[in-house]
Amino acid sequence: MKITEITTVKQQIATKIRLAAYCRVSSDSTDQLHSFAAQIRYYSDYTKKHPEYELVDIYADEGITGTEMKKRDELNRLIRDCKKGLIDRIIVKSVSRFARNTEELLVTLRMLTDLGVSVYFEEQGIDTDKLNMEMIVTFPGMAAQQESVNISGNMRWSYQKRMQSGEFNCTCPAYGFDLINGQMVINETEAIVIRRIFSLYLQGFGMQAIANILNDEGVPRRYGHTHWYSGTIKYVLTNERYMGDALLQKKFTTETLPFRTMKNTGQLPKYYVENSNPPIVSRETYEAVQELMRSRQTNNGRKVHDHPLSSKMRCPECGRSFRRIVTRGTAYWTCAGRSSGATDCDNRRVREDMVRSAHREW
């Protein structure tokens, strides 16, 4: 009898279903974090009440959106363990916890079925081991996807109304500003850099030349960026925020999954708000920069050769044209490739008065 009991225990151990639990919360707010902790506690107790299961692990993504699977590290770890043959069954609270993109949901479930792994969705009572997965899972998957679309639509509607009323500020402040209690406040350390960029441009420095100066001096950026580029400088020089105004809805989020941020080129209305935030440069300085920028371009965007020496001097090393820069009131001509950082030619700068004296037509 004793031997029989030992054999039974061994058989029970051998036939236990290896269970993995997956849980997810969509934000890191206090309420959602409580929900996250509750889910972990729930699945830890689940196997105690169901002796046929052996809990392998609890896979929990915290504060990650469900619309794109590639962004969820724990779900991807779960799938890798399934491929290693470590898991027989997955339990999830609901379809929406697992995926909100119907296509990804079905592809993942097909793959798990091929691996011999079943998935049980508690809220919907769906067990892929017993039911026709493709017929049944599609419907709650579509409902979960629609829920994401509805939430996104509600947020867009809210932003739109706040933009129309002028109440919307921003969610990610530009360099030179901090967002404190919903209000944009000047970051004085970064504001010094912004004012210097405007000043250098008005002195005649090009955008790439300004970027090179900031990079050489190791001036830091933010949001993980490490280098200044000509495009970065142009963004600063053309950003109306720096004179205290705001052009809202320059970009927008698409209405279908997967959601993407796109540049607003006329698809939606834009809203211009004057005196929306404290200025870093004066309105006169900002407008002077815009006028200088326009004077350097024709209607089709090409550079205007408005100086008699433009395109007439060439760099002896790279063959590029020399460009005119003004430093502290003195005009110089230098290799355009060198000043833009495109070449490493010797830094030859020739004063304009010396060039004039060398040309008899002057």
Side-chain angles (χ1 to χ4, degrees):
M1 181 65 179
K2 187 176 182 180
I3 294 175
T4 303
E5 289 178 351
I6 292 175
T7 302
T8 303
V9 171
K10 287 183 177 180
Q11 288 173 345
Q12 289 177 349
I13 293 174
T15 58
K16 276 184 178 289
I17 300 171
R18 296 170 297 175
L19 182 71
Y22 177 75
C23 55
R24 177 184 62 80
V25 290
S26 58
S27 75
D28 57 0
S29 65
T30 302
D31 290 342
Q32 292 285 27
L33 288 175
H34 286 319
S35 173
F36 178 80
Q39 289 181 61
I40 294 177
R41 287 195 302 270
Y42 172 78
Y43 290 120
S44 297
D45 295 336
Y46 186 87
T47 51
K48 297 177 183 178
K49 299 176 182 178
H50 297 80
E52 69 271 22
Y53 292 125
E54 175 188 2
L55 184 63
V56 176
D57 202 351
I58 297 174
Y59 301 78
D61 279 313
E62 180 181 347
I64 304 294
T65 178
T67 57
E68 290 191 81
M69 191 168 293
K70 65 182 180 181
K71 296 182 179 180
R72 291 190 278 163
D73 295 336
E74 283 292 275
L75 180 58
N76 289 317
R77 183 171 73 89
L78 169 62
I79 292 173
R80 288 196 299 271
D81 286 349
C82 289
K83 291 179 178 179
K84 293 176 183 177
L86 304 178
I87 297 166
D88 301 314
R89 187 168 175 79
I90 299 170
I91 185 170
V92 191
K93 182 178 180 181
S94 68
V95 175
S96 63
R97 300 283 182 183
F98 198 66
R100 294 196 178 193
N101 184 315
T102 302
E103 182 180 357
E104 284 190 347
L105 173 67
L106 292 178
V107 168
T108 303
L109 291 179
R110 288 193 194 102
M111 180 265 294
L112 292 173
T113 299
D114 291 341
L115 293 173
V117 179
S118 62
V119 183
Y120 177 60
F121 300 103
E122 290 186 286
E123 195 171 284
Q124 289 82 14
I126 297 173
D127 187 345
T128 64
D129 194 36
K130 299 178 181 178
L131 303 176
N132 186 319
M133 175 266 295
E134 296 207 14
M135 290 179 60
I136 297 179
V137 176
T138 300
F139 296 102
M142 290 175 64
Q145 178 171 320
Q146 188 59 45
E147 181 183 348
S148 282
V149 172
N150 291 341
I151 291 172
S152 178
N154 291 337
M155 291 180 64
R156 285 196 300 272
W157 182 87
S158 174
Y159 288 157
Q160 190 87 8
K161 293 299 181 183
R162 289 163 60 195
M163 288 178 187
Q164 290 174 353
S165 65
E167 296 176 358
F168 183 82
N169 204 328
C170 72
T171 56
C172 185
Y175 187 92
F177 293 102
D178 293 323
L179 196 62
I180 301 177
N181 297 324
Q183 299 297 319
M184 292 184 68
V185 178
I186 294 177
N187 180 316
E188 291 298 340
T189 300
E190 295 179 349
I192 293 173
V193 179
I194 296 299
R195 296 186 188 105
R196 187 181 179 200
I197 290 172
F198 276 83
S199 176
L200 288 171
Y201 189 79
L202 289 175
Q203 291 177 43
F205 286 88
M207 297 177 192
Q208 185 61 56
I210 297 173
N212 293 342
I213 291 172
L214 299 180
N215 287 328
D216 290 343
E217 296 179 0
V219 177
R221 291 186 62 190
R222 57 161 64 169
Y223 302 128
H225 299 291
T226 57
H227 285 79
W228 294 86
Y229 301 95
S230 60
T232 314
I233 303 303
K234 184 176 182 179
Y235 168 79
V236 170
L237 294 173
T238 57
N239 191 340
E240 71 288 339
R241 284 282 189 183
Y242 294 121
M243 69 168 177
D245 293 351
L247 178 61
L248 305 178
Q249 202 156 249
K250 295 177 182 178
K251 297 180 180 180
F252 67 96
T253 303
T254 56
E255 298 182 4
T256 57
L257 289 169
F259 299 123
R260 293 286 182 266
T261 300
M262 298 182 64
K263 185 178 180 181
N264 185 1
T265 57
Q267 299 91 330
L268 294 173
K270 297 179 182 179
Y271 305 93
Y272 195 89
V273 183
E274 295 184 355
N275 302 315
S276 64
N277 54 267
I280 290 180
V281 300
S282 69
R283 193 170 297 271
E284 292 74 20
T285 297
Y286 180 86
E287 291 176 349
V289 165
Q290 308 316 303
E291 181 59 33
L292 178 58
M293 206 173 292
R294 285 190 292 269
S295 72
R296 292 179 174 180
Q297 297 179 335
T298 61
N299 291 333
N300 62 7
R302 290 181 298 181
K303 295 288 183 181
V304 178
H305 293 163
D306 55 357
H307 195 281
L309 291 177
S310 295
S311 300
K312 292 184 178 179
M313 292 185 289
R314 298 280 179 177
C315 175
E317 293 187 41
C318 70
R320 294 173 184 252
S321 297
F322 269 44
R323 65 183 298 180
R324 188 175 189 262
I325 61 174
V326 179
T327 304
R328 297 184 179 86
T330 302
Y332 296 88
W333 288 84
T334 186
C335 172
R338 167 75 186 194
S339 65
S340 66
T343 66
D344 58 355
C345 305
D346 288 340
N347 188 20
R348 295 184 177 88
R349 288 204 312 173
V350 183
R351 284 175 48 171
E352 188 170 276
D353 57 353
M354 297 178 63
V355 176
R356 290 183 178 184
S357 64
H359 287 72
R360 293 182 178 179
E361 61 266 30
W362 288 88

